[in-house]
Amino acid sequence: MTIPAIQDFAPDAKSDLAVMLTGGGARAAYQVGLLKGLARHFPDLRIDIITGVSAGAINAMYLAAATGSLRQKAHDLERLWIDLSCSTIYDFHLRALIPKWGKRSLRGLLDTQPLRELMSRVLGVPSWAPIDSIEDNIRRGDLTALALMTLDYSTGQNVRWVQGRYFDVHEGPNRRTEPTRFTVEHVMASSALPFVFPAARIGNAWHGDGGIRLSTPFSSALHLGATHIIAMSTGYQRTPAEASMPLVPGYPPSAQILNQLVNAIFIDALDEDAARMERMNEMLRKMRPEDRGGMKPIDLLVLRPTIDLGKLAGDYERYLPRKLKLLVRILGGNETESSDLVSMLMFERPYTRALIDAGEADVESRIDEIRVFLGDEPSQIVAAS
C-alpha cells in the first residue's frame, strides 16, 4: 500500500497549502464555521489546493469557483448554508419505497434533484455544463487545483477527478485519476451516499459517494503538490472513556448500525491516515535530507469538532420533515444516544447555524496552534485533542 504521508517533488516545485473537506451530509456546515474562523484571523489566506469528498465536495466546489478573499468566500458560503432547508436539498416520498411491478429498482431513499437545481443556480450553469469560473481562477493563479472523489459503481474504482495547472497522475488497482472540467454532476456524484442519495452519471458510468473506498484521504492533496494540509473533519473524536460506553442497550437498532457505517465511511479512514502520516513524518525527520530520496515531511493540521455533532442533531430532530422523522423512528433512531444518520440529513437552519457557530468556536480555541501552523515555525503534526 502506498503511504500518503510523503511526496516526491521536482526541485522547483511550489510549496502549496491545501484544504481537505471531508463528508458528513449536513454536518459539512461545520466546515463553514471553520472557514469563517480562519477568515476572521487570516482574511487574505490563500488556499492553493482544494479537495473534497461527499458533502465536503459542495463546499470545495464553491470555494474553487468563487472569487474574492477568503473572508468574502466564507461569508457567502455561510449565507448559502443558513438559507438551506431539507426541501432545498432533497424530496422524500414514502410511496417511493413501495416496489411496483415492472418498475425500476429504488435508486435512492431521497431524490436530490432539488440540490442539483440549487447548485446550478448558485454556480450559474446547467448541471452538465463546465463551471468556467474554476478555470478562470486557475488561469489567474488564484487556484492551483481542485480534486473531488467519487466511486465508479461499474468498476468499483475510487476516482480522483482533477482540474488544475499541474498534478501527479496516480493509478492503482482500485483507484484512478481523471482530468476533467468540473460540473455540478461531479458534486452530485461525490455526495451520493449509497441507498440514501441516487448515483449521478458522469460520462457513461454511474458514480456515488467517494468516501466509500477512500482509505487514504490525504493522498489527493499530496499528489497535487501540497506540503501543508488543513483537514476539516466533521467527526468527533471520542475519549477512551466515551468510546467504551455503549450507546444503546440490548440489540442495536438499524439506526445504530447505520451510524457505525456513517462513521466508518467518513471518519475512521481520516484518523488512520493521519496516524500513518505522523509516523512517516517522524521517521523522515530523523533522516538526513540527502538520505530521504526526495521525500519530505508534510505539515498537517486536523480541525475537528469538540462536541459530538451526532448527539447535537438529536436536539433538532423535530425540524426534520414529518415523513422522514417517521422513517428515522422506524429505524430506531430514538433508541440510540448519537443521531449520526439524522445529522447527515438535518439541512435545517437551527442545526446548520449551531454547526457554523461550533466551527468558529473551535478555531478560536486553537488559534495559537493555527498561527504556528501558518507561520514560520518548524514542521509539526497538529492533531485535535
Side-chain angles (χ1 to χ4, degrees):
M1 180 182 68
T2 301
I3 300 294
I6 55 178
Q7 182 61 287
D8 192 351
F9 294 113
D12 60 346
K14 292 179 57 181
S15 175
D16 284 323
L17 173 65
V19 166
M20 189 190 77
L21 300 158
T22 65
R27 288 187 295 188
Y30 173 79
Q31 298 168 349
V32 180
L34 295 178
L35 291 167
K36 276 196 67 184
L38 288 175
R40 177 180 299 111
H41 295 277
F42 312 97
D44 298 314
L45 179 67
R46 170 177 162 152
I47 301 172
D48 301 284
I49 296 167
I50 303 170
T51 71
V53 63
S54 194
I58 298 173
N59 291 333
M61 180 72 81
Y62 189 91
L63 288 176
T67 58
S69 66
L70 179 61
R71 176 176 298 195
Q72 183 62 50
K73 292 178 183 179
H75 176 264
D76 293 343
L77 196 53
E78 178 189 31
R79 290 179 57 190
L80 172 64
W81 272 90
I82 62 176
D83 286 340
L84 294 180
S85 65
C86 292
S87 62
T88 62
I89 302 297
Y90 54 75
D91 287 327
F92 174 59
H93 304 289
L94 284 173
R95 63 178 178 273
L97 300 178
I98 303 173
K100 297 179 180 179
W101 182 260
K103 298 293 184 179
R104 68 187 183 188
S105 60
L106 179 67
R107 294 195 172 189
L109 180 65
L110 306 175
D111 178 3
T112 51
Q113 182 61 24
L115 173 60
R116 178 178 282 106
E117 294 172 356
L118 172 66
M119 293 297 294
S120 293
R121 286 197 306 272
V122 169
L123 296 171
V125 295
S127 66
W128 46 265
I131 302 167
D132 290 336
S133 57
I134 296 176
E135 188 64 32
D136 293 341
N137 285 337
I138 293 171
R139 189 179 298 110
R140 284 195 301 267
D142 295 334
L143 177 69
T144 299
L146 168 67
L148 302 182
M149 275 59 73
T150 67
L151 176 66
D152 185 336
Y153 282 143
S154 62
T155 66
Q157 288 182 310
N158 194 270
V159 183
R160 178 182 61 165
W161 301 92
V162 180
Q163 184 174 350
R165 284 186 286 149
Y166 62 85
F167 56 89
D168 172 28
V169 175
H170 184 58
E171 305 289 346
N174 289 317
R175 58 183 177 267
R176 72 178 191 265
T177 300
E178 294 281 358
T180 191
R181 291 195 66 191
F182 280 109
T183 70
V184 170
E185 292 305 315
H186 289 87
V187 176
M188 300 304 298
S190 186
S191 58
L193 183 66
F195 304 112
V196 179
F197 298 148
R201 188 170 185 172
I202 302 176
N204 295 321
W206 293 92
H207 293 253
D209 198 308
I212 300 171
R213 298 196 70 166
L214 192 62
S215 59
T216 54
F218 300 118
S219 61
S220 291
L222 294 171
H223 287 288
L224 291 173
T227 57
H228 302 73
I229 302 174
I230 300 177
M232 296 187 174
S233 172
T234 62
Y236 171 70
Q237 193 170 53
R238 295 186 293 166
T239 65
E242 289 173 324
S244 61
M245 184 70 64
L247 297 176
V248 293
Y251 190 85
S254 298
Q256 176 63 14
I257 298 173
L258 288 171
N259 288 345
Q260 300 308 315
L261 287 174
V262 166
N263 290 332
I265 292 173
F266 299 114
I267 299 170
D268 298 345
L270 183 142
D271 293 335
E272 293 168 4
D273 203 17
R276 285 194 295 267
M277 183 179 288
E278 183 172 6
R279 289 194 297 269
M280 182 61 72
N281 281 340
E282 289 174 356
M283 183 184 73
L284 288 173
R285 292 190 183 102
K286 293 177 181 178
M287 299 171 62
R288 295 181 303 176
E290 59 269 25
D291 295 332
R292 295 174 180 173
M295 298 182 294
K296 60 182 67 176
I298 302 298
D299 284 350
L300 172 65
L301 173 68
V302 180
L303 298 177
R304 65 168 73 249
T306 54
I307 58 174
D308 188 330
L309 303 186
K311 288 184 178 180
L312 180 64
D315 296 335
Y316 297 92
E317 185 178 338
R318 64 187 183 276
Y319 292 103
L320 275 179
R322 183 174 59 85
K323 294 176 182 178
L324 192 57
K325 189 190 310 179
L326 174 62
L327 179 63
V328 169
R329 301 217 170 156
I330 291 173
L331 294 173
N334 59 332
E335 300 174 34
T336 179
E337 188 174 326
S338 184
S339 304
D340 291 309
L341 179 60
V342 172
S343 73
M344 298 190 65
L345 304 177
M346 184 64 71
F347 291 91
E348 294 290 340
R349 182 169 185 162
Y351 182 56
T352 55
R353 176 76 270 170
L355 295 181
I356 293 171
D357 291 344
E360 288 188 82
D362 286 343
V363 167
E364 291 301 319
S365 69
R366 299 185 60 194
I367 190 59
D368 291 339
E369 295 175 78
I370 295 171
R371 289 188 186 281
V372 170
F373 180 83
L374 294 175
D376 299 323
E377 299 294 331
S379 300
Q380 60 181 311
I381 292 287
V382 185
S385 57

